[in-house]
Structures are given as structure tokens and as C-alpha cells.
Amino acid sequence: MQHLIPIASGKGGVGKTLLAANLGIALAQQKKTVVLVDLDLGGSNLHTVLGIRNRHTGIGHFIYKQAESLEQLLVETEQRQLYFIPGDGLFSGTANLPYYRKLAIIRQLQELPADFVILDLGSGSSYNTIDLFLTSPSGLIVTTPDTTAILNAYSFLKSSMIRLLQRSFPARSEERRIVQDFLQQKVEGEDRDIHTVVKEIRTLHPESGAAAADALETFRPRVVMNMGRTAQDIRLGSRLRHVARSNLKTDLEFIAYLPQDDLAGRGALERSPTMHRYPDSAYAQAVRKCAARLIQEPSPRMPKLYPENEDLQELAEDFEVEAR
Ligand SMILES: Nc1ncnc2c1ncn2[C@@H]1O[C@H](COP(=O)(O)OP(=O)(O)OP(=O)(O)O)[C@@H](O)[C@H]1O
Ligand SMILES: [Mg+2]
């Protein structure tokens, strides 16, 4: 079975791309077939970390329908069994990914012939990123041990859960409207959270309400603490876990603790990934452990999600794409 591993973060610059590249290599070294996909639209730099020249066509060609499939865009890498789909400059990161292209990308990602498909996403909670993150119930959220990164990781988790709840119901359904009303009326501190809303929906619509509760239950993102230095970091990590449990009723699993390591970034600067150049570095060793855990505890499938309402703006953007 193929596993999608989206890698996201609330705050930028926390080490997603470096992790994606080195984790891909570590998994391939464990004899898994891996595809790394650069989905940081507008900010793609995974090729640099892998030491690949930016002369291949990438995901923009699929978005603009110049390539028929994602498989067509696969590039071989120095590492056996590791393939790469570049992001590219064609697509501006400020533009919203056209809705139907996003669905097409997700469908094709799920069909790529590999054991693991790793998605390097942009930072923050845009719908593009969240919808790509929701391709797996146990994607990775990367954070560093500083308060802003931790708070942003929490916001990202919360936004993902809200989007997951909305997309558990068909567009224009009564259930979807109840969620929408809740979001509009929500006053901070009010004693009504997404779980009480699910309960309310369940009393009105037992079947679809139970399915949504299941989807939320299955959703268990895994956290990577990167650039760790001290024991104090562990306390910050526990705080994130505590807030997620008490406010969102989600048990976060910490899947890796990656140390701050000068050799980690140096590999990227030298255009040769850390895992190849400095295989004995503390960073490489920690990433290998993370890979081993992913192999041991692969993620379950994501429950079916319905499309979001295609709003007029997105349709207009689709039109612009067609017109290019
Ligand atoms: N464990 C680490 N030790 C030392 N440096 C690190 C570590 N992890 C990442 N870095 C460095 O931090 C910087 C940011 O890393 P990276 O580009 O992977 O972050 P990102 O989350 O992908 O950023 P963006 O949000 O811009 O996509 C890079 O210079 C990288 O080499
Ligand atoms: Mg990045």
C-alpha cells in the first residue's frame, strides 16, 4: 500500500524541506520506493537541497495542463529508488491553486507507484496547503522549540481540523451549514467547540454525524520537533500536546526529535544532502530513526472527504488559467 506523507508547518523556515529530502533518502536506503514532491508553490527549493539543477519541468506544467500526469514529471535522483517531482517557477505562490487542478493533483498523488510519497508543503494555513495536508490522517507537522513556532503549529492543527470537519459533509448539506454557522458565530472563549458541534449534528443526522466524528478521531498528525537544543524544548513540546488534548481533544504523537546540527544545513549548501554527505551526523541519525518509525507505523487511509464549495473567485481563477 502506498503512503502519503505530507510535511507542513505553521511557521516558515522550521526545516520542512531539509527533512523531506533527507527522510526521502533514508526511506529509499531502507529499500522503499519513494517519490518526493515539491508542493511549496511559489517557494520551491527542494531541488537545491537534493543537489539537482533546476532544469526539469515540474508541477506547474501539470497545473497549466502542459503535462497530462504527475508520473510524467518524475525525475531520477542520485539515490536509488528515490524519485522527485519538481515544483517550478511557472506557478506563482500568491495565486490560489485552481480548485479542480488541486483535486486532480491529489488524485494523481494517491496513484503514484511508490511505497512512500512525501509532500514538501509551503508553511502556513492556506487552503492549498491544508487540503494537501488532509491527504493523510497522520501527516507531519514540523515545529521548532520556540513559542511562535509552537503556537503556529497549534493554529495549523486547529485550521486543519475545522477544514476536515467541513469537508466531512457534502457542499450545500444541512450539516455543512451548521458548521458554517458555528464558525461565523463563534466567540472566543465560548463553551462550544468543534466537538460539541459534531455532537449537535449527530443528534440531527446520526449517520453523517458519526462519520464526521470518525474522521476527526482518525486524524492524528505527527509532530516533528526540529532544531532541538535543550531539555527545555521537551517542555515546550509537552505544552503543545497538552493544549491540543484539552482544546481539540487530539492526542499528538511526537514522531521525531531532530537536533540543531550545523552539518544539517551544510549539506544543502554544498548541494549534497546531509544523509549522503554526513551520514554519521546527529541530524542524519535522527532522521533515520524517524524513517524507521514511519515504516513501522504506517498511516491509515484518510476517510472520504467532500469537495469544498467552489466559490466564484476560484472559478474565475480557473478561467484565467485556461486563458494562458
Ligand atoms: N536540524 C537543523 N539544524 C540546523 N539547521 C537546520 C536544521 N533544520 C533545518 N535547518 C536549516 O534551517 C533553514 C530552513 O530550513 P528549510 O528550508 O528546510 O525550512 P522550511 O520549513 O522548508 O522553510 P520554508 O517554510 O521557507 O519552506 C535551512 O537553512 C536549513 O538548512
Ligand atoms: Mg521549504
Side-chain angles (χ1 to χ4, degrees):
M1 191 170 117
Q2 183 238 53
H3 299 286
L4 275 172
I5 306 184
I7 303 185
S9 71
K11 189 179 166 209
V14 294
K16 296 178 293 297
T17 303
L18 197 66
L19 174 64
N22 287 291
L23 189 59
I25 295 172
L27 287 166
Q29 286 175 338
Q30 298 287 318
K31 308 267 184 300
K32 301 294 174 189
T33 304
V34 183
V35 180
L36 275 174
V37 193
D38 191 339
L39 279 164
D40 185 352
L41 303 166
S44 56
N45 62 346
L46 188 51
H47 57 278
T48 315
V49 178
L50 285 169
I52 293 176
R53 280 186 195 288
N54 191 11
R55 59 180 160 76
H56 302 274
T57 51
I59 208 102
H61 277 250
F62 183 75
I63 295 173
Y64 293 118
K65 300 187 180 171
Q66 290 159 0
E68 266 171 34
S69 72
L70 290 185
E71 216 175 323
Q72 242 173 287
L73 302 171
L74 287 175
V75 174
E76 284 190 19
T77 69
E78 265 177 41
Q79 171 65 48
R80 235 180 122 212
Q81 284 188 237
L82 178 70
Y83 301 86
F84 173 52
I85 297 181
D88 63 20
L90 268 184
F91 190 78
S92 143
T94 50
N96 220 342
L97 184 56
Y99 188 70
Y100 293 103
R101 296 316 279 164
K102 179 161 67 185
L103 292 189
I105 287 176
I106 290 173
R107 214 174 308 122
Q108 295 227 357
L109 287 171
Q110 289 162 338
E111 283 168 11
L112 282 173
D115 298 313
F116 289 94
V117 176
I118 299 177
L119 316 182
D120 180 21
L121 304 179
S123 60
S125 305
S126 74
Y127 289 142
N128 286 346
T129 304
I130 289 185
D131 283 338
L132 289 164
F133 189 70
L134 291 181
T135 53
S136 164
S138 44
L140 307 187
I141 300 179
V142 182
T143 181
T144 51
D146 63 276
T147 311
T148 318
I150 296 269
L151 287 175
N152 292 358
Y154 173 77
S155 308
F156 180 83
L157 177 67
K158 186 172 165 187
S159 306
S160 302
M161 289 179 74
I162 290 172
R163 181 88 169 167
L164 172 60
L165 180 61
Q166 286 175 313
R167 291 191 49 204
S168 294
F169 307 112
R172 287 180 281 281
S173 62
E174 155 133 9
E175 295 94 312
R176 182 76 76 88
R177 194 186 49 71
I178 297 172
V179 180
Q180 228 70 37
D181 286 352
F182 157 69
L183 291 175
Q184 271 157 20
Q185 288 159 15
K186 188 161 168 49
V187 182
E188 215 39 67
E190 195 186 315
D191 201 21
R192 192 169 173 241
D193 59 24
I194 54 174
H195 295 278
T196 54
V197 173
V198 174
K199 254 192 216 152
E200 286 166 31
I201 294 175
R202 273 182 98 156
T203 55
L204 295 169
H205 304 274
E207 211 170 296
S208 56
D214 262 3
L216 284 174
E217 180 79 17
T218 315
F219 191 59
R220 288 268 177 278
R222 303 189 257 196
V223 179
V224 173
M225 177 68 83
N226 186 27
M227 303 196 208
R229 283 175 204 261
T230 62
Q232 177 83 6
D233 303 344
I234 303 198
R235 220 175 307 151
L236 270 173
S238 311
R239 255 177 58 199
L240 174 62
R241 182 183 273 162
H242 178 76
V243 188
R245 190 177 299 147
S246 61
N247 293 4
L248 303 172
K249 300 192 175 54
T250 295
D251 273 317
L252 285 180
E253 185 198 357
F254 277 79
I255 193 168
Y257 178 87
L258 311 175
Q260 165 79 34
D261 180 353
D262 288 345
L263 295 179
R266 209 186 295 169
L269 288 177
E270 291 164 355
R271 291 189 159 261
S272 169
T274 317
M275 199 58 75
H276 283 157
R277 183 80 139 221
Y278 303 108
D280 298 326
S281 63
Y283 183 79
Q285 290 183 36
V287 172
R288 264 197 297 276
K289 254 194 219 163
C290 179
R293 281 190 70 175
L294 287 173
I295 292 171
Q296 254 171 27
E297 303 164 28
S299 52
R301 286 261 164 212
M302 194 68 177
K304 175 184 165 58
L305 296 181
Y306 293 93
E308 252 302 0
N309 283 329
E310 324 82 44
D311 62 5
L312 269 178
Q313 194 192 340
E314 274 181 343
L315 289 173
E317 276 161 11
D318 270 2
F319 181 75
E320 259 175 42
V321 169
E322 304 290 351
R324 268 171 67 112

